[in-house]
Amino acid sequence: MTVLDTSVPHVPVLMVLGDHEPPADVALPAGYRFATWEPRFREPWVRLHVLLGQLPSFEEGLAYFEQTYETDPEALERQMILVVDEKDELAGTSSLWRGDHFGEPRLRVHWVGVDPAHQRRGLARALMLRTIRLFDELVPSGEPPLYLTTQTESWPACGMYLKLGFVPYVGPMPTGFAAEPATFGEKNDEAWRIIREKLEESGRPRPKARR
Protein backbone atom coordinates (compact mmCIF):
# COMPACT_ATOMS: atom_id res chain seq x y z
CA MET A 1 0.00 0.00 0.00
CA THR A 2 2.43 2.61 1.25
CA VAL A 3 6.18 2.37 1.75
CA LEU A 4 6.79 0.06 4.72
CA ASP A 5 7.29 1.57 8.18
CA THR A 6 10.72 0.14 8.95
CA SER A 7 10.75 1.76 12.40
CA VAL A 8 8.87 -1.26 13.77
CA PRO A 9 10.17 -4.86 13.96
CA HIS A 10 9.23 -7.09 11.04
CA VAL A 11 6.71 -9.80 11.99
CA PRO A 12 4.41 -11.39 9.37
CA VAL A 13 0.74 -11.83 10.30
CA LEU A 14 -2.47 -13.15 8.77
CA MET A 15 -5.95 -11.65 8.62
CA VAL A 16 -9.22 -13.41 7.75
CA LEU A 17 -12.35 -11.86 6.28
CA GLY A 18 -15.20 -12.01 8.76
CA ASP A 19 -18.87 -11.18 8.32
CA HIS A 20 -19.29 -8.38 5.81
CA GLU A 21 -21.83 -6.75 3.59
CA PRO A 22 -21.29 -7.63 -0.09
CA PRO A 23 -19.66 -4.54 -1.66
CA ALA A 24 -21.83 -2.62 -4.08
CA ASP A 25 -20.44 -0.91 -7.17
CA VAL A 26 -17.01 0.44 -6.31
CA ALA A 27 -16.53 4.11 -7.12
CA LEU A 28 -13.18 5.62 -8.08
CA PRO A 29 -12.11 9.27 -7.91
CA ALA A 30 -12.38 11.35 -11.06
CA GLY A 31 -9.56 10.58 -13.48
CA TYR A 32 -9.25 6.90 -12.56
CA ARG A 33 -10.83 3.71 -13.86
CA PHE A 34 -10.54 -0.03 -13.41
CA ALA A 35 -8.74 -1.78 -16.25
CA THR A 36 -8.62 -5.37 -17.42
CA TRP A 37 -5.33 -7.22 -17.50
CA GLU A 38 -3.10 -6.76 -20.54
CA PRO A 39 0.53 -7.92 -20.96
CA ARG A 40 1.62 -4.27 -21.16
CA PHE A 41 0.95 -3.96 -17.43
CA ARG A 42 3.51 -6.64 -16.51
CA GLU A 43 6.57 -4.40 -16.15
CA PRO A 44 4.69 -1.47 -14.53
CA TRP A 45 3.27 -3.97 -11.99
CA VAL A 46 6.79 -5.10 -11.08
CA ARG A 47 8.14 -1.53 -10.92
CA LEU A 48 5.29 -0.50 -8.62
CA HIS A 49 5.97 -3.23 -6.08
CA VAL A 50 9.72 -2.63 -6.19
CA LEU A 51 9.03 1.07 -5.52
CA LEU A 52 6.87 0.12 -2.53
CA GLY A 53 9.62 -2.11 -1.11
CA GLN A 54 7.57 -5.27 -1.58
CA LEU A 55 9.94 -6.79 -4.15
CA PRO A 56 13.74 -6.69 -3.88
CA SER A 57 14.56 -5.84 -7.51
CA PHE A 58 13.05 -5.49 -10.96
CA GLU A 59 14.71 -8.67 -12.22
CA GLU A 60 13.53 -10.74 -9.26
CA GLY A 61 10.09 -9.23 -9.59
CA LEU A 62 9.81 -10.25 -13.23
CA ALA A 63 10.85 -13.79 -12.33
CA TYR A 64 8.30 -13.86 -9.50
CA PHE A 65 5.51 -12.60 -11.76
CA GLU A 66 6.30 -15.24 -14.37
CA GLN A 67 6.46 -18.07 -11.82
CA THR A 68 3.31 -16.98 -9.98
CA TYR A 69 0.79 -15.25 -12.21
CA GLU A 70 1.78 -16.33 -15.70
CA THR A 71 1.45 -20.02 -14.84
CA ASP A 72 -2.34 -19.51 -14.97
CA PRO A 73 -3.20 -17.00 -17.73
CA GLU A 74 -6.97 -17.44 -17.33
CA ALA A 75 -6.87 -16.68 -13.61
CA LEU A 76 -4.50 -13.77 -14.26
CA GLU A 77 -6.97 -12.18 -16.66
CA ARG A 78 -9.93 -12.83 -14.35
CA GLN A 79 -8.37 -12.09 -10.97
CA MET A 80 -5.83 -9.30 -11.50
CA ILE A 81 -7.39 -5.96 -10.51
CA LEU A 82 -5.89 -2.76 -11.90
CA VAL A 83 -6.55 0.95 -11.57
CA VAL A 84 -5.18 3.31 -14.21
CA ASP A 85 -5.04 7.09 -14.30
CA GLU A 86 -6.21 9.47 -17.02
CA LYS A 87 -3.00 8.75 -18.96
CA ASP A 88 -3.87 5.04 -18.89
CA GLU A 89 -0.86 4.36 -16.67
CA LEU A 90 -0.91 1.95 -13.74
CA ALA A 91 -1.80 3.67 -10.46
CA GLY A 92 -2.64 0.70 -8.25
CA THR A 93 -3.27 -3.00 -8.22
CA SER A 94 -4.57 -5.95 -6.25
CA SER A 95 -5.35 -9.56 -7.07
CA LEU A 96 -7.28 -12.53 -5.82
CA TRP A 97 -4.93 -15.51 -5.96
CA ARG A 98 -4.32 -18.97 -4.62
CA GLY A 99 -2.58 -19.29 -1.28
CA ASP A 100 -1.39 -22.35 0.64
CA HIS A 101 -0.80 -20.86 4.08
CA PHE A 102 -3.55 -22.96 5.63
CA GLY A 103 -2.28 -26.22 4.16
CA GLU A 104 -4.68 -26.32 1.23
CA PRO A 105 -5.34 -24.03 -1.74
CA ARG A 106 -7.72 -21.19 -0.98
CA LEU A 107 -8.12 -17.64 -2.21
CA ARG A 108 -6.18 -14.79 -0.69
CA VAL A 109 -5.75 -11.07 -1.26
CA HIS A 110 -2.45 -10.75 -3.07
CA TRP A 111 -0.10 -7.83 -3.74
CA VAL A 112 -2.17 -4.73 -2.97
CA GLY A 113 -0.25 -1.59 -3.88
CA VAL A 114 -0.82 2.04 -4.89
CA ASP A 115 1.82 4.24 -6.46
CA PRO A 116 2.91 6.94 -3.93
CA ALA A 117 1.97 9.61 -6.48
CA HIS A 118 -1.64 8.38 -6.33
CA GLN A 119 -2.01 7.60 -2.63
CA ARG A 120 -4.50 9.21 -0.21
CA ARG A 121 -7.21 9.28 -2.88
CA GLY A 122 -9.15 6.19 -1.87
CA LEU A 123 -7.62 3.88 -4.47
CA ALA A 124 -6.45 1.25 -1.99
CA ARG A 125 -9.90 0.98 -0.44
CA ALA A 126 -11.50 0.74 -3.88
CA LEU A 127 -9.06 -2.00 -4.89
CA MET A 128 -9.81 -3.96 -1.73
CA LEU A 129 -13.57 -3.60 -2.18
CA ARG A 130 -13.29 -4.82 -5.76
CA THR A 131 -11.19 -7.77 -4.54
CA ILE A 132 -13.76 -8.69 -1.88
CA ARG A 133 -16.55 -8.36 -4.43
CA LEU A 134 -14.75 -10.74 -6.79
CA PHE A 135 -14.24 -13.21 -3.95
CA ASP A 136 -17.96 -13.10 -3.14
CA GLU A 137 -18.69 -13.90 -6.80
CA LEU A 138 -16.25 -16.81 -6.95
CA VAL A 139 -16.95 -18.21 -3.46
CA PRO A 140 -20.60 -17.31 -2.77
CA SER A 141 -20.68 -19.41 0.40
CA GLY A 142 -17.73 -17.50 1.84
CA GLU A 143 -16.13 -20.79 2.94
CA PRO A 144 -13.27 -21.08 3.35
CA PRO A 145 -13.05 -17.34 4.05
CA LEU A 146 -10.84 -14.96 2.16
CA TYR A 147 -7.54 -14.19 3.87
CA LEU A 148 -4.45 -12.05 3.47
CA THR A 149 -0.92 -11.93 4.75
CA THR A 150 0.72 -8.72 5.84
CA GLN A 151 3.28 -7.55 8.39
CA THR A 152 3.78 -5.15 11.24
CA GLU A 153 5.46 -2.59 8.96
CA SER A 154 2.17 -2.31 7.06
CA TRP A 155 0.16 -1.29 10.13
CA PRO A 156 -1.62 1.59 8.30
CA ALA A 157 -2.96 -0.96 5.80
CA CYS A 158 -4.06 -3.17 8.69
CA GLY A 159 -6.29 -0.33 9.85
CA MET A 160 -8.02 -0.26 6.47
CA TYR A 161 -8.37 -4.05 6.40
CA LEU A 162 -10.06 -3.91 9.80
CA LYS A 163 -12.60 -1.39 8.53
CA LEU A 164 -13.37 -3.69 5.60
CA GLY A 165 -14.19 -6.66 7.82
CA PHE A 166 -10.86 -8.47 8.17
CA VAL A 167 -9.81 -9.62 11.63
CA PRO A 168 -6.44 -10.81 12.99
CA TYR A 169 -5.78 -14.52 12.88
CA VAL A 170 -4.57 -15.67 16.32
CA GLY A 171 -5.16 -19.44 16.28
CA PRO A 172 -2.59 -22.22 15.92
CA MET A 173 0.10 -21.63 13.32
CA PRO A 174 -1.32 -22.50 9.88
CA THR A 175 0.35 -25.47 8.22
CA GLY A 176 1.94 -23.49 5.38
CA PHE A 177 2.89 -20.32 7.24
CA ALA A 178 6.60 -19.57 7.27
CA ALA A 179 7.26 -19.29 11.01
CA GLU A 180 8.53 -21.33 13.93
CA PRO A 181 5.65 -23.30 15.49
CA ALA A 182 7.18 -23.07 18.98
CA THR A 183 7.23 -19.27 18.93
CA PHE A 184 4.37 -18.47 16.53
CA GLY A 185 1.82 -17.62 19.22
CA GLU A 186 4.18 -15.38 21.17
CA LYS A 187 5.42 -13.53 18.08
CA ASN A 188 1.91 -13.21 16.69
CA ASP A 189 0.67 -11.67 19.95
CA GLU A 190 3.61 -9.28 19.93
CA ALA A 191 2.95 -8.33 16.32
CA TRP A 192 -0.67 -7.44 17.03
CA ARG A 193 0.38 -5.51 20.13
CA ILE A 194 2.66 -3.40 17.90
CA ILE A 195 -0.04 -2.92 15.28
CA ARG A 196 -2.65 -2.07 17.94
CA GLU A 197 -0.39 0.53 19.53
CA LYS A 198 0.43 2.16 16.21
CA LEU A 199 -3.25 2.26 15.26
CA GLU A 200 -4.17 3.76 18.64
CA GLU A 201 -1.49 6.42 18.23
CA SER A 202 -2.96 7.33 14.85
CA GLY A 203 -6.59 7.17 16.02
CA ARG A 204 -7.48 4.16 13.84
CA PRO A 205 -9.61 1.15 14.89
CA ARG A 206 -8.22 -1.54 17.19
CA PRO A 207 -8.05 -5.14 15.92
CA LYS A 208 -10.36 -7.86 17.20
CA ALA A 209 -8.97 -11.36 16.88
CA ARG A 210 -10.36 -14.43 15.14
CA ARG A 211 -9.23 -17.99 15.84
Side-chain angles (χ1 to χ4, degrees):
M1 310 278 283
T2 59
V3 176
L4 301 178
D5 179 1
T6 56
S7 70
V8 300
H10 169 75
V11 186
V13 296
L14 298 106
M15 300 184 76
V16 178
L17 184 62
D19 295 335
H20 64 285
E21 291 293 327
D25 290 339
V26 181
L28 287 169
Y32 296 94
R33 67 177 178 85
F34 287 107
T36 55
W37 169 256
E38 298 176 42
R40 69 182 179 91
F41 288 118
R42 183 174 182 258
E43 293 189 2
W45 185 97
V46 174
R47 291 193 186 95
L48 170 60
H49 291 288
V50 171
L51 177 64
L52 294 173
Q54 298 171 334
L55 287 169
S57 70
F58 182 73
E59 292 74 19
E60 291 177 82
L62 283 176
Y64 173 85
F65 195 94
E66 178 181 352
Q67 295 164 7
T68 302
Y69 288 111
E70 293 182 337
T71 59
D72 192 341
E74 290 185 5
L76 172 59
E77 184 174 352
R78 180 179 63 244
Q79 294 164 211
M80 177 67 72
I81 301 168
L82 307 168
V83 170
V84 297
D85 63 13
E86 56 192 4
K87 297 179 181 179
D88 207 32
E89 296 178 351
L90 185 65
T93 179
S94 177
S95 65
L96 192 64
W97 208 250
R98 297 180 303 273
D100 297 314
H101 295 86
F102 287 90
E104 60 183 5
R106 53 189 279 190
L107 290 175
R108 62 179 291 202
V109 180
H110 208 36
W111 294 98
V112 182
V114 175
D115 188 299
H118 300 280
Q119 290 177 6
R120 301 185 182 280
R121 302 179 189 183
L123 300 188
R125 183 176 183 276
L127 283 161
M128 284 296 301
L129 286 171
R130 178 61 71 95
T131 305
I132 294 171
R133 183 177 177 182
L134 179 57
F135 172 78
D136 288 340
E137 294 171 359
L138 296 177
V139 188
S141 69
E143 291 295 337
L146 179 63
Y147 79 99
L148 62 85
T149 62
T150 184
Q151 56 277 317
T152 44
E153 302 101 304
S154 296
W155 62 265
C158 292
M160 182 187 68
Y161 300 146
L162 291 166
K163 290 181 179 179
L164 294 174
F166 286 87
V167 294
Y169 176 81
V170 296
M173 191 184 86
T175 306
F177 195 60
E180 291 294 331
T183 58
F184 171 76
E186 179 182 350
K187 288 187 175 181
N188 195 50
D189 289 345
E190 174 65 10
W192 285 108
R193 182 191 64 77
I194 292 170
I195 293 169
R196 181 174 61 251
E197 289 180 355
K198 297 298 289 188
L199 290 174
E200 287 175 346
E201 289 172 6
S202 66
R204 305 186 193 201
R206 297 180 58 178
K208 296 180 181 179
R210 174 169 175 172
R211 298 182 180 276

